[in-house]
Structure formats: structure tokens, C-alpha cells
Amino acid sequence: MTQPGHGLFLSFEGPEGAGKSTQIARLAWHLEAAGQAPTITREPGGTPLGTRVRDVLLDPELTIDPLPEFLLYSASRAQLVTNVIRPALDRGKVVVCDRYADSSLAYQGFGRGLDAALLRGITAAATGGLWPDLTVLLDLDPVIGLQRAARRGQPDRLEQADLTFHQRLRQGFVQLAEAEPDRFLVLDATLAEAELERMIWEAVHSRLPASRR
Ligand code: TYD
């Protein structure tokens, strides 16, 4: 968790096609209108190293085993936390991250079947124990999500995985949220975009320090 008096760390999670990018753009607009200059970043990516690792991870031509897959996500995450997220939080900024470590617990844990304790141990090392103050989970039936994602073009390496993989990781996200109800805001991603935008802004606004609302 972010230290009191420091910035605010927000992450967005959900299966493919849940509409994270749209909602992150709308949240960024609200934050800017409220006088914040948020740091918006994403995983995998967000740094020169992360961007290259992202190209490897999403390449549909590559076969990557579950453990190296997780380690590559963790490498991108470690670089992002050290070079982008922590420095921004230390400057008191609001950081919005499109996916974070919960994605590894859901995709590589519930999806690929890697051991949760192993994932948590390496994640602790990669992040120095940094977890978001608020995680917005846009929950969606993967049948709908994959249809939405397919409209965006050729499926990437993860989108190509079979439906049962996507169903397991969706259940994984829901379980993670149930285990930490104070950190997660779970929203039905089939709701109207404007309604989701309103609920997200309400939750974020109430977490901004009173002096900065
Ligand atoms: P991206 O194009 O950013 O997908 P989305 O728009 O759904 O966020 O691709 C990131 C992919 O990587 C996505 O399929 C989720 C997956 N992923 C993992 O499997 N583990 C992780 O730790 C992270 C951060 C992402």
C-alpha cells in the first residue's frame, strides 16, 4: 500500500475486452479536470525495457512456457515500479496502471496453473511489496470479452488461449477481489460506459486527499 501522505496508486484489471482503456481515459480526464496531473501507465510496458518485453509476450508466433511467461511479466513490472510508479508516488502523484500484479495472479496463477505462493513471492521481490490503494475490476463473461477483443483485429498470444483458460482467470479475478474487498471495486463491465465512469470517479474522488479534491 502507498504510504499516507504520498500519492495514490490505482490499477485496472479484467479479462480481455472489458473496456479498461476507455475507462482509464475517462478517469484521466476527471483527474485532470480536478487539477491532478496523473501518471498513466500500463503492464506489460511503461518503460523502454517493458515495451520490448511486451512485444515478446504478445507475439502470437512464440511459444512461452508458464514460468518464463510469469518471469517476463515480473521483469517488466520490476522495472516499471522502480523507474515510474514509485518515483511518481513519492512526488505525491496519482498513478493509474492498466493491469498490475493481480493480472499475473489471475492469468499465470488461475489461468496457467502456476503455484500462488511462488507467484506472490516473486511478485513481492519485483514490486518491493507495493500494491494498489484501489483496484477497479471490470468483470466480464469471457465469451463477450473475446468477441469484443476480436473486433480490434488479430488476436495476440494471450487472446489465442482457449475459452476455459479465460473462464478460469475471470473466476480468479473474482476470488482475488473477494479476498480483499477493501482494495477492489468490482463492476459489471456490461453496464453503460457513462455509468461505469461515474462509479469509478466516485470511488477515486473519495480516496483523494481532501486538500486535492
Ligand atoms: P494488452 O494488449 O495490454 O491487453 P488488455 O488490453 O487486455 O490489457 O495485453 C496484455 C496481455 O497480457 C493481456 O492478455 C493480459 C496479459 N497479462 C498476463 O497474462 N499477466 C500479467 O501479469 C499482465 C500484466 C498481463
Side-chain angles (χ1 to χ4, degrees), residues 154-174:
Q154 283 300 97
D156 65 35
R157 201 178 52 80
L158 281 291
E159 287 164 359
Q160 281 178 344
D162 63 29
L163 185 60
T164 57
F165 169 82
H166 290 280
Q167 280 162 340
R168 281 197 304 278
L169 72 89
R170 186 231 188 152
Q171 283 314 314
F173 275 129
V174 170

Side-chain angles (χ1 to χ4, degrees), residues 87-103:
L89 293 174
D90 288 346
R91 292 200 307 278
K93 294 187 77 165
V94 179
V95 176
V96 184
C97 198
D98 186 345
R99 298 195 181 279
Y100 188 66
D102 294 298
S103 274

Side-chain angles (χ1 to χ4, degrees), residues 6 11 23-24 42 46 57 84 94 98 100 121 130 142 171 174 178 180 183-184 194 200:
H6 287 234
S11 66
Q23 291 303 328
I24 289 171
R42 72 169 174 183
L57 280 164
V84 177
V94 179
D98 186 345
Y100 188 66
L130 180 72
Q171 283 314 314
V174 170
E178 280 169 0
E180 284 184 80
R183 174 162 70 90
F184 276 89
I200 293 167

Side-chain angles (χ1 to χ4, degrees), residues 16 20 43 54 73 77 99 103-104 107-108 158:
E16 313 295 324
K20 291 183 285 91
E43 279 204 10
R54 178 184 177 85
Y73 280 110
R77 182 166 304 132
R99 298 195 181 279
S103 274
S104 282
Y107 278 78
Q108 281 67 53
L158 281 291

Side-chain angles (χ1 to χ4, degrees), residues 9 18 26 28 39 41 45 48 91 106 108 110 120-121 143 169 195:
F9 182 19
R26 291 180 179 211
T39 297
T41 190
R91 292 200 307 278
Q108 281 67 53
F110 291 86
R120 287 191 183 271
V143 174
L169 72 89
E195 179 71 355

